[in-house]
Amino acid sequence: MSIDLYSIYLSDYMDNVYKWLEDQGIKYIALNGYVAIRYTIRISNNRIDLVKDSVDQMIKVVLSNGYNVMTSVIKGLYEDYKSVLENVVKTVKSSKRGIKYTPPSNKIELYDVYPGGYDPSVFNVNASIDYITHFMDDLSEIFERVSGSISIKGIKHIIKTSYGREGEYKLTSVLLNLRGFKDKGFTYTLNRAATSLSKLNYDSLLEEAREYASINYNVEHVEESVHKVIFTPLAFSNILYYLGTLLSGYSIYSGYSPFIDLLGEEISSKPINIYDDPKEEGNPYPSLFDEEGIERRRVYLVKDGVLSSYILNILYRGVFKQESTGHAGPEYPYPYTLILDGEHMDVDDLFNEVKEGILVTNIWNTSFANIREGTFSSTQRDIGFYIRKGSIRGCFIGARLNMNIIDVFRNLIGLAGERVWVKPWDTDLYTKSNLVGVDNIRVTTGFW
Amino acid sequence: MVNPNDLAEYMVEYGLARNFDIVIARYQNVIAYNISIVNGEVASTSINRTNGLGAKLIYKGVNIHTSTNIFSFESVKNRVEEALAKAKAYSKGKFRYVTFYEVESTDISHVVKEDKPFIDYKDELISDLMSLDDEIKEYAKIDVLTRIFNIHAFTEEKYITTSEGVKVYSKIPRILLHYRLVSKAGDKYISRDGFLGGSGGIESIEYESLKSDVKSILDTMYNIAFKAVNIEDGEYNIVIGNELSGLIAHNSVGHAFEADRVLGMEGGQLGESYVSKNDLNNVIASEEVNVYDDPTLPSLFGYYLYDDDGIQTRRRTLIKDGIISEFLHNRYTASIYGIPSNGSARAESYMDEPIVRMGVTYFEPGDRGFKELIEEARYGIYIKNVSEWSIDDRGVNQRYVGFEAYLIDGGEIKNPLKYPVIETTSNIILKSVKALGDDLRLYPLICIKGEPIQRIPVNIGGPHILITKIRVLRR
């Protein structure tokens, strides 16, 4: 059973739509075409309970006549695209004020992502079913039961613009998200993203599961206190996601981001880097250009601890007098992937530095009490561990971490261990980081 | 052009010919308009159309969902063949055997009318919001730096056809207005988000109600900046407002009563439930508590009459007199319990499998007036609405941070309070209900669940409720 990303129909369809848009007198056109194959194998309580798949084509247009921008996504390529796009064109033509829209004028053609960024072997569903079945069996020896999924995507992205940008690339992406359950609320999530099954590193994941599951202490409700906290890559991904959205030019321009007026300021207590690089080898969601045809590249948002860029598309580059960072997203500039790096410690050194604190393996349900000030809380999702005298001593559930997104980075203790690619269930951003230590986090709980 | 309904019929016909036991095919077409107004200017607009065919197919107990948006008989045939190959492949492994409770054939068409269709009246709505933006600047006693109005209007058209002869056509337009205000006082900022909406046209956005809500937020921002005081940590009697009672109905009851969560089938996603399979008929709340989920209430955001398994929905009694009465089911979970589905299967798009979801979840109102509740609380806190909320993945450990909140002293409302935090559990909060008000207000919400996440329109709500002896913290 093997399929591939192939569509003659989409090319013809795009040609027709592009010509029609040109005939309407639209000044700036970016026309994106996608072919996507997706499937998910979902398991619960040690059983596969669903296999779902889809084969789709879609187009997305980004249009402007010089002010503001209008987008339209059409999934389901009927011949009647005009019924949707006529309204779009009407709005674009009537837009005579707002933010100036000026695409770059140099011609660039972009083809192919990094070697290994597209691996058609992922479309072999039988291999994926075998993979997840073996994983389930191996994890069943470690946990009482396992739930979760493996999700696989193959996407071809084509672009044609009125300002000389065109290109095409293909990607494949695999996301493993398996949650093991032991008794008394002990759960642990194995989460990893890659461009193929073989790059998930089965043995290392199994070892990670064994390591955490073998920590045998009575599960208690967390003690309320102010703690030093070590976040696993999965737990810190949630924070990186919100950091990314709050660094979008839209959230800065609209006035609700806590990072307003901090460009060029030192925002971290450590000389960390936070950047996006969809062309970096190993990125599980590679990309060559954004939906305005701007090349993806390494963009530092934080460089040596200093806030160095916002996330921009063509529209917001005008506001911030910078080049687009290649982040044209669904409607606003949006983080694509994020990588945290910096000087690493040994894991033991980080634990010794923390000495007394907690290790959090997964958080979710992040909710902002005051988004402009950056105050929020996140809820513990999987098992947490007490750190006493630099070693793990005891485990807990029920924690809620009261944080401020600026203080998280101002109170960094350090980074340690291997950096891995993950994507939590409740965000849509792939991130790469290692263990991250943060000081001064107030922990509360509803179990009191 | 091929009629997509014919393709859905073909999916059923071809699926049966290929020996699938059950086929539930769905053509789903969603047209969505998004308009964002930032500080008095239209900042962005988009029009998106998502249409395609999805089908749930059962083959010898193996559960498959397949979908495509390539509209041809060839494409449908390929999807069914692929589904069969996958079913055969995974039937060799450890799979959960799925059966569906039988249903009778039906043929229904259901269309919700828009008094003021969005497409014809959107300029009127934009103009109203621009006027409101001006009014905010005039009314506020505090600098309101950010004023964002996001309009999300979408019409969902579906045709569901099943191998048992069920045929349901529906078309439901919905509109959601999300607004965000950020103000500044000295070097402090205060922010608050709000939602309004329903099914139908722009009449779903009641302008006077929106204006009143926004003015109330502006007054509260001023109070937080200049008048509000912190509360001492401790146990308090609390009168909670409609929005907060709705969040509790949604989090502690609705989600926890979704049968797939109860059965552990969302363990890797939204999570499991603190309620177990055998908890039906057990006491879970004080006897004053009745909670319903009723998607049939007209004009609401979470409104629907037939679910995505093609089953007619109805009012579901989740808690009756404090006792667990019923869980929410799709055909799959219902078959495990050996009962008919109560019509809770919903899918965001043609690409998604219908899973167990809420519609309109609320506490049934009681008989107390608002003043009576405040008097009965004697000393405590009134939390009208919240600025932050979260709950753990079993629906137990929850937190609500008050936005508009006041001290209650001597049975009267006194000075405003600054961000009082309720951090407690579902067990405590449901059993602490002492009295319910006679008012009911429902709020729209986008609820998430599934893999990948499916976003579904729902309502939450309830009356003002007096809960007693609840721990409150300072933020």
Side-chain angles (χ1 to χ4, degrees):
Chain A
M1 203 188 320
S2 184
I3 41 183
D4 200 353
L5 298 165
Y6 177 70
S7 171
I8 297 173
Y9 182 68
L10 179 65
S11 310
D12 292 345
Y13 190 87
M14 285 180 71
D15 286 345
N16 290 339
V17 171
Y18 193 87
K19 187 173 180 317
W20 184 81
L21 288 168
E22 272 188 328
D23 291 346
Q24 306 307 305
I26 300 295
K27 198 170 174 186
Y28 299 120
I29 303 167
L31 175 61
N32 297 270
Y34 291 91
V35 185
I37 296 169
R38 297 180 180 86
Y39 65 93
T40 299
I41 302 165
R42 191 178 152 131
I43 63 171
S44 64
N45 299 330
N46 299 344
R47 289 279 182 276
I48 295 175
D49 62 17
L50 176 71
V51 174
K52 68 171 173 175
D53 68 10
S54 67
V55 177
D56 301 284
Q57 299 181 358
M58 65 173 246
I59 60 162
K60 176 173 177 179
V61 296
V62 183
L63 305 175
S64 180
N65 254 10
Y67 290 96
N68 284 353
V69 72
M70 174 90 192
T71 62
S72 184
V73 175
I74 301 181
K75 284 185 187 172
L77 305 187
Y78 268 176
E79 285 128 35
D80 73 337
Y81 58 84
K82 291 176 196 167
S83 66
V84 176
L85 292 182
E86 269 166 358
N87 281 314
V88 182
V89 166
K90 203 170 130 192
T91 311
V92 172
K93 285 185 169 176
S94 66
S95 185
K96 299 200 186 314
R97 59 181 195 152
I99 307 173
K100 271 188 102 172
Y101 188 85
T102 48
S105 52
N106 55 327
K107 288 192 174 186
I108 297 181
E109 290 186 7
L110 299 158
Y111 290 92
D112 290 332
V113 291
Y114 68 79
Y118 174 72
D119 182 349
S121 71
V122 301
F123 299 129
N124 183 339
V125 183
N126 288 356
S128 301
I129 290 173
D130 284 349
Y131 186 93
I132 198 87
T133 303
H134 281 135
F135 225 129
M136 219 162 48
D137 287 345
D138 283 340
L139 289 175
S140 299
E141 291 171 12
I142 303 169
F143 296 104
E144 285 178 4
R145 55 197 175 87
V146 182
S147 295
S149 64
I150 187 162
S151 299
I152 289 166
K153 285 181 201 173
I155 295 172
K156 178 160 81 173
H157 182 188
I158 308 163
I159 196 161
K160 184 175 181 184
T161 70
S162 60
Y163 39 89
R165 301 293 173 112
E166 55 184 74
E168 179 179 320
Y169 67 90
K170 293 190 283 189
L171 71 93
T172 49
S173 192
V174 178
L175 176 67
L176 180 82
N177 186 60
L178 291 178
R179 194 172 191 207
F181 294 76
K182 281 173 66 181
D183 58 343
K184 295 175 185 169
F186 188 116
T187 63
Y188 182 76
T189 296
L190 274 180
N191 183 292
R192 206 69 94 239
T195 54
S196 67
L197 281 176
S198 59
K199 289 178 184 160
L200 285 176
N201 203 342
Y202 189 101
D203 292 339
S204 143
L205 280 164
L206 205 56
E207 187 51 40
E208 178 185 323
R210 281 203 182 98
E211 192 183 329
Y212 280 101
S214 66
I215 304 171
N216 271 321
Y217 290 98
N218 282 335
V219 178
E220 297 167 355
H221 289 141
V222 73
E223 293 164 20
E224 292 190 336
S225 185
V226 175
H227 286 290
K228 289 178 180 171
V229 178
I230 297 177
F231 294 86
T232 62
L234 183 61
F236 204 71
S237 184
N238 212 279
I239 292 171
L240 287 173
Y241 167 74
Y242 285 98
L243 173 80
T245 58
L246 291 170
L247 289 178
S248 163
Y250 171 75
S251 62
I252 304 289
Y253 172 77
S254 303
Y256 65 81
S257 169
F259 294 97
I260 291 169
D261 296 332
L262 291 182
L263 212 55
E265 300 283 322
E266 195 170 272
I267 64 158
S268 170
S269 57
K270 299 283 177 190
I272 55 161
N273 300 315
I274 299 173
Y275 62 92
D276 186 8
D277 191 351
K279 291 197 291 187
E280 181 178 278
E281 191 150 355
N283 189 313
Y285 206 48
S287 169
L288 205 55
F289 46 81
D290 72 1
E291 291 183 332
E292 291 175 325
I294 303 299
E295 59 274 31
R296 305 277 197 192
R297 56 196 187 275
R298 180 170 293 198
V299 173
Y300 283 94
L301 305 176
V302 178
K303 176 90 173 149
D304 296 328
V306 174
L307 184 61
S308 54
S309 180
Y310 295 132
I311 290 171
L312 305 175
N313 58 5
I314 290 176
L315 187 70
Y316 286 94
R317 83 177 186 135
V319 174
F320 294 97
K321 311 278 184 266
Q322 270 181 249
E323 286 307 302
S324 165
T325 55
H327 285 97
E331 281 169 52
Y332 310 116
Y334 200 76
Y336 190 77
T337 57
L338 282 183
I339 299 162
L340 167 68
D341 82 355
E343 200 176 306
H344 296 193
M345 301 176 177
D346 286 340
V347 173
D348 287 347
D349 290 343
L350 179 62
F351 274 74
N352 285 328
E353 181 93 16
V354 166
K355 204 174 226 94
E356 303 290 315
I358 58 174
L359 169 68
V360 175
T361 65
N362 196 3
I363 56 174
W364 79 321
N365 229 322
T366 290
S367 175
F368 279 80
N370 187 334
I371 197 160
R372 179 60 181 83
E373 295 208 327
T375 51
F376 68 100
S377 71
S378 299
T379 306
Q380 179 186 350
R381 185 166 158 92
D382 288 310
I383 195 71
F385 300 98
Y386 289 112
I387 301 166
R388 302 280 182 256
K389 296 180 181 171
S391 298
I392 286 178
R393 294 275 184 273
C395 50
F396 63 84
I397 55 170
R400 188 165 280 104
L401 282 65
N402 296 257
M403 296 179 271
N404 178 289
I405 196 137
I406 290 178
D407 289 344
V408 164
F409 292 94
R410 283 190 178 144
N411 294 330
L412 278 186
I413 298 167
L415 317 177
E418 187 194 359
R419 291 189 303 148
V420 293
W421 281 103
V422 297
K423 191 191 88 61
W425 172 76
D426 62 335
T427 74
D428 53 7
L429 185 72
Y430 293 85
T431 68
K432 185 184 185 184
S433 82
N434 36 17
L435 295 174
V436 181
V438 180
D439 199 359
N440 203 26
I441 293 180
R442 184 178 170 219
V443 173
T444 53
T445 182
F447 300 110
W448 48 278
Chain B
M1 190 175 73
V2 187
N3 182 337
N5 293 359
D6 290 344
L7 291 176
E9 295 290 0
Y10 180 64
M11 204 164 228
V12 172
E13 188 187 311
Y14 192 73
L16 288 176
R18 297 299 285 144
N19 294 324
F20 280 95
D21 304 314
I22 295 172
V23 183
I24 302 173
R26 184 173 83 255
Y27 167 64
Q28 195 162 344
N29 177 28
V30 182
I31 296 200
Y33 292 76
N34 301 303
I35 300 170
S36 180
I37 301 168
V38 177
N39 296 335
E41 296 275 355
V42 174
S44 73
T45 31
S46 70
I47 304 175
N48 304 322
R49 184 176 72 187
T50 304
N51 65 354
L53 293 153
K56 200 185 258 193
L57 303 111
I58 308 297
Y59 175 82
K60 295 182 179 172
V62 169
N63 188 18
I64 299 278
H65 188 273
T66 191
S67 66
T68 182
N69 66 14
I70 299 167
F71 292 96
S72 69
F73 288 98
E74 185 67 21
S75 171
V76 168
K77 194 174 164 181
N78 287 342
R79 298 323 311 143
V80 174
E81 290 295 342
E82 290 267 354
L84 186 60
K86 287 186 180 81
K88 286 179 174 172
Y90 105 76
S91 66
K92 291 172 193 156
K94 291 181 178 173
F95 72 94
R96 185 178 308 286
Y97 190 89
V98 174
T99 55
F100 276 5
Y101 206 90
E102 283 180 16
V103 295
E104 289 177 6
S105 64
T106 184
D107 194 342
I108 294 288
S109 178
H110 169 59
V111 175
V112 171
K113 294 234 165 27
E114 296 170 273
D115 291 343
K116 287 183 161 185
F118 175 79
I119 191 71
D120 300 327
Y121 287 86
K122 66 178 187 309
D123 291 340
E124 184 181 303
L125 178 59
I126 292 169
S127 169
D128 282 349
L129 295 173
M130 296 288 200
S131 304
L132 182 57
D133 190 78
D134 288 336
E135 274 196 66
I136 289 170
K137 286 181 278 185
E138 280 172 29
Y139 180 83
K141 292 179 280 183
I142 190 167
D143 282 345
V144 187
L145 303 179
T146 298
R147 307 166 307 279
I148 300 174
F149 296 98
N150 294 316
I151 304 164
H152 179 46
F154 57 106
T155 298
E156 193 175 45
E157 186 184 17
K158 286 180 200 170
Y159 177 68
I160 297 162
T161 176
T162 79
S163 48
E164 299 111 326
V166 171
K167 295 180 195 307
V168 177
Y169 172 80
S170 67
K171 189 174 180 182
I172 305 180
R174 293 185 173 92
I175 185 162
L176 180 71
L177 175 70
H178 160 242
Y179 54 96
R180 170 171 290 169
L181 302 172
V182 179
S183 64
K184 187 179 185 192
D187 62 349
K188 293 284 175 198
Y189 295 92
I190 303 158
S191 62
R192 159 87 175 150
D193 289 25
F195 295 91
L196 209 63
S199 59
I202 70 158
E203 68 277 4
S204 308
I205 308 294
E206 292 168 22
Y207 185 66
E208 289 307 316
S209 173
L210 171 65
K211 207 157 78 169
S212 163
D213 286 352
V214 164
K215 285 184 173 176
S216 173
I217 289 171
L218 297 173
D219 291 342
T220 302
M221 285 177 160
Y222 178 81
N223 285 341
I224 289 172
F226 299 109
K227 292 184 175 174
V229 296
N230 287 315
I231 188 90
E232 289 299 316
D233 292 1
E235 279 191 3
Y236 292 88
N237 295 335
I238 307 173
V239 176
I240 59 172
N242 310 91
E243 181 191 82
L244 181 45
S245 66
L247 285 168
I248 294 167
H250 180 82
N251 288 328
S252 295
V253 185
H255 269 311
F257 283 42
E258 289 164 342
D260 54 349
R261 288 190 70 176
V262 173
L263 295 166
M265 290 155 61
E266 272 275 316
Q269 292 81 30
L270 188 63
E272 301 188 338
S273 175
Y274 71 99
V275 175
S276 68
K277 187 185 171 189
N278 301 320
D279 276 345
L280 278 172
N281 301 317
N282 286 350
V283 173
I284 193 168
S286 64
E287 61 183 14
E288 286 77 11
V289 173
N290 296 304
V291 179
Y292 300 101
D293 188 281
D294 189 358
T296 70
L297 292 170
S299 306
L300 294 171
F301 196 52
Y303 170 79
Y304 66 92
L305 290 183
Y306 284 82
D307 78 358
D308 292 336
D309 280 345
I311 303 294
Q312 185 172 14
T313 195
R314 58 174 171 79
R315 184 174 88 159
R316 286 73 66 101
T317 304
L318 304 180
I319 298 179
K320 183 70 183 162
D321 303 328
I323 292 168
I324 298 176
S325 172
E326 185 177 8
F327 295 142
L328 296 168
H329 287 286
N330 61 8
R331 290 183 64 186
Y332 176 14
T333 61
S335 73
I336 293 170
Y337 279 76
I339 56 172
S341 163
N342 52 23
S344 308
R346 301 180 73 187
E348 178 185 346
S349 81
Y350 69 91
M351 293 165 68
D352 303 305
E353 77 282 16
I355 53 175
V356 179
R357 307 303 295 259
M358 285 173 264
V360 176
T361 317
Y362 60 96
F363 281 93
E364 184 182 51
D367 58 1
R368 309 289 214 284
F370 174 68
K371 209 162 169 269
E372 289 175 275
L373 291 173
I374 298 293
E375 283 169 2
E376 209 165 326
R378 295 299 303 160
Y379 184 80
I381 300 171
Y382 170 42
I383 298 180
K384 186 177 174 184
N385 48 43
V386 297
S387 63
E388 173 196 332
W389 62 270
S390 61
I391 189 155
D392 71 13
D393 67 312
R394 295 184 65 241
V396 185
N397 176 16
Q398 59 204 275
R399 168 191 175 101
Y400 305 100
V401 179
F403 179 72
E404 183 174 352
Y406 304 88
L407 182 74
I408 300 169
D409 195 0
E412 291 181 359
I413 289 181
K414 300 289 185 183
N415 55 292
L417 297 174
K418 194 177 278 184
Y419 302 126
V421 179
I422 296 175
E423 200 152 348
T424 187
T425 64
S426 290
N427 300 315
I428 290 174
I429 216 160
L430 290 173
K431 284 183 178 155
S432 72
V433 171
K434 281 289 170 292
L436 295 102
D438 56 8
D439 58 329
L440 172 66
R441 186 172 171 187
L442 296 152
Y443 297 82
L445 187 77
I446 297 286
C447 175
I448 63 166
K449 190 177 172 185
E451 179 69 59
I453 283 178
Q454 298 188 43
R455 293 172 170 82
I456 290 287
V458 299
N459 281 91
I460 60 168
H464 279 81
I465 299 178
L466 170 62
I467 53 179
T468 56
K469 293 186 181 172
I470 297 291
R471 189 178 73 142
V472 176
L473 307 170
R474 268 185 287 185
R475 198 178 195 290

